Amino acid sequence: MNRQLTGLLSAEAVSMLGSRITFVALPWLVLTSTDSALLAGLAGFAEMLPYILAGLLGGPLVDRIGPRPTSVAADAASMLAVAGIPLFAACAAGGLSLGALMGLIALAGALRGFGDASKRALLPRTIDAAGLTTERGTALYDGVSRAATLIGLPLAGVLIAASDPVIVLLADAATFGVSALIISTAVRVGPAETARPGECYTAALAGGFRYVRQDRLILGIMSMLFATNMFDQAYSTVFVPVWVRDGLHGPAALGIVGTAFGLGAVAGNIIYTILAPRLPRRRTLGICFFLGGPAQLIAVAATDRVWAVLATAAVSGALMSAVNPILLAAAYGRIPSHMHGRVMSVLIAVSWAGIPFGGVLGGWATDVLGLRTAALLAAAGYLAVTAAPFFFPAWHALDAVRDEQRPAKAVVPA
């Protein structure tokens, strides 16, 4: 790896580590400050909804301004916004309206959405400058994200136990500052192809949606991820907690199931990074997604044995570690570089839109049908949507985007 890619991966690792710590510390801060579980849940919603919307609506701005300066500015602003949250929480405890606190949380979420969208647009140019294949570069990027998640979530619990959420959030604010400093000093890839001069914001945003609608492979990726994210959310937020409660496994099982998946994902990512250039994209994606995705759902429906669910989670994580790098590599190879921001923002935002529905539908199905039936129905749905690469011709385009193609080049939509 060269200095450019090392810098971007380092910035992503630091930023993602802080974000995962916030994922735990922020609701806990609101809960302990207000003694309201509802407000703690609203804090998470207040962060994630602006995050998704900013990622979607900020795509044209990333294309216009450039991913590098947008990333630096967004991370610097995130540092100030996140640092202000504990100060507002302290004031809220003294009687200040919680509207200001929720507004600052929403601002922090929106800024993080801009920053993440910018880093995704910066990635293909940095991989190209490093002389790596697209699969290997995206696998490294995905591996950094998974490792940060694996470390960040338990680290947040340790830090909160050792100090308090205020200190933890201030530490998270510092990670955004470090990320901005790294990208501003270490990542200096040349400017990408620019958006058309004079193109207005609404036209640029509409162009992102239009491209997604016309490219059948990108549309297929987005539709499949919408469904699988919905099933994954039902699994993590409903099925696993109910399985733990009904099986009398104790709350510790909630954490170790996710840890098992994370360990498998990190190990699988290392293996895939080595083998990626020699593996066919479509068959690798199809097999890993078809087997790895539904496996955990079937496990919680079929057994109460903790070791069996943990082993399944680890294997599932290893298989699923190939999915994101393949999809990112294919998307970067097809989308013109001057449209990376807007198209990737549409793709990510719509794919993530299935997440809010997952918990609601999973909870309803569990209450009405029971855990085993609900989990098996979700597994059947997972199998149905992940079978698409084997049956629909548009997915053959995964193998048409070859490694020797520069990420900046586009393939004519199928």
Side-chain angles (χ1 to χ4, degrees):
M1 289 193 298
N2 71 349
R3 183 170 177 263
Q4 313 284 355
L5 185 57
T6 300
L8 180 60
L9 294 179
S10 300
E12 173 67 10
V14 172
S15 176
M16 188 64 69
L17 182 66
S19 297
R20 293 301 179 259
I21 292 174
T22 301
F23 182 78
V24 175
L26 185 56
W28 184 255
L29 173 66
V30 175
L31 180 63
T32 54
S33 299
T34 65
D35 198 29
S36 171
L38 175 60
L39 290 176
L42 287 175
F45 180 82
E47 182 189 20
M48 285 308 300
L49 181 61
Y51 175 88
I52 294 174
L53 292 177
L56 171 64
L57 300 177
L61 298 179
V62 174
D63 289 334
R64 174 62 60 189
I65 300 172
R68 180 175 172 273
T70 307
S71 178
V72 172
D75 283 347
S78 292
M79 176 181 65
L80 300 177
V82 173
I85 291 174
L87 301 178
F88 270 87
C91 294
L96 182 68
S97 170
L98 288 174
L101 175 61
M102 292 299 178
L104 190 56
I105 291 172
L107 175 62
L111 290 170
R112 188 163 66 87
F114 276 114
D116 287 355
S118 302
K119 292 181 183 69
R120 285 192 295 267
L122 187 60
L123 178 61
R125 296 162 51 202
T126 311
I127 292 172
D128 191 41
L132 293 179
T133 61
T134 311
E135 280 93 344
R136 185 160 286 169
T138 53
L140 287 169
Y141 188 82
D142 187 63
V144 164
S145 176
R146 292 185 184 276
T149 299
L150 181 63
I151 297 171
L153 294 179
L155 179 60
V158 172
L159 292 176
I160 291 173
S163 55
D164 60 69
V166 172
I167 302 300
V168 175
L169 284 172
L170 291 176
D172 177 29
T175 65
F176 286 106
V178 172
S179 176
L181 181 63
I182 292 174
I183 291 181
S184 64
T185 58
V187 182
R188 296 192 175 277
V189 292
E193 181 184 353
T194 58
R196 289 196 298 268
E199 185 179 30
C200 69
Y201 172 85
T202 55
L205 184 62
F209 280 97
R210 185 167 54 252
Y211 186 93
V212 168
R213 188 175 65 251
Q214 293 174 348
D215 189 317
R216 286 185 292 175
L217 175 60
I218 299 297
L219 186 61
I221 291 172
M222 186 175 68
S223 302
M224 185 168 67
L225 290 179
F226 175 91
T228 57
N229 281 334
M230 183 171 62
F231 296 134
D232 288 337
Q233 183 73 359
Y235 169 81
S236 60
T237 62
V238 178
F239 298 155
V240 170
V242 172
W243 176 81
V244 169
R245 183 198 64 190
D246 293 351
L248 303 178
H249 302 303
L254 289 171
I256 61 176
V257 171
T259 301
F261 182 89
L263 289 172
V266 171
N269 183 270
I270 294 172
I271 296 172
Y272 180 74
T273 301
I274 297 171
L275 300 179
R278 299 192 292 274
L279 296 175
R281 285 180 179 173
R282 184 178 64 88
R283 279 185 290 171
T284 302
L285 172 75
I287 292 171
C288 291
F289 222 168
F290 187 79
L291 296 179
Q296 296 188 97
L297 293 162
I298 295 172
V300 297
T303 181
D304 289 329
R305 297 182 181 276
V306 175
W307 69 265
V309 171
L310 293 180
T312 303
V315 173
S316 178
L319 289 169
M320 295 291 283
S321 65
V323 171
N324 285 343
I326 291 174
L327 296 180
L328 280 174
Y332 286 137
R334 293 178 69 83
I335 302 168
S337 63
H338 71 280
M339 297 182 71
H340 272 159
R342 72 195 78 172
V343 177
M344 289 299 294
S345 295
V346 171
L347 174 60
I348 297 297
V350 176
S351 299
W352 283 28
I355 293 176
F357 297 102
V360 176
L361 293 176
W364 172 82
T366 302
D367 286 341
V368 173
L369 304 173
L371 172 61
R372 293 179 182 242
T373 301
L376 287 174
L377 286 174
Y382 218 120
L383 289 169
V385 297
T386 54
F390 298 110
F391 295 103
F392 291 97
W395 288 89
H396 287 273
L398 280 176
D399 293 321
V401 187
R402 302 315 310 163
D403 292 336
E404 61 267 23
Q405 244 184 330
R406 291 172 59 87
K409 294 182 180 178
V411 175
V412 177

